[in-house]
Amino acid sequence: MTALLPEGRWRIDRDHSSVNFAVTYLGVTKVRGRFMDLQGTIESADDHLAGEASVATGSVQTGSAVRDKHLQSADFLNA
């Protein structure tokens, strides 16, 4: 197997990474957003590639402050 990364353990670069999502709202329009605060690692070796990550749900951004506040509420993410 050809390694995509040099062998080792790598941290996700929080300044240059985000977790993005898109959901269909009422079957009419698509809402896009992202979580800006994340952390995680990737481990690369000759025989495997594995990783883990977590996001801070309070860091959700959709372009609407009102919607973001609602997503952070107990109705959705309970952030």
Side-chain angles (χ1 to χ4, degrees), residues 19-77:
V19 173
N20 303 297
F21 63 90
V23 296
T24 302
Y25 179 68
L26 297 176
V28 177
T29 189
K30 196 173 278 189
V31 174
R32 299 178 190 278
R34 60 188 178 171
F35 296 95
M36 298 301 297
D37 187 2
L38 66 144
Q39 60 185 356
T41 59
I42 298 170
E43 185 176 327
S44 174
D46 284 340
D47 62 344
H48 75 277
L49 183 64
E52 62 180 47
S54 63
V55 297
T57 55
S59 70
V60 67
Q61 294 181 355
T62 63
S64 167
V66 171
R67 181 173 43 230
D68 294 350
K69 186 175 181 179
H70 189 207
L71 288 173
Q72 293 168 359
S73 76
D75 290 344
F76 291 95
L77 301 172

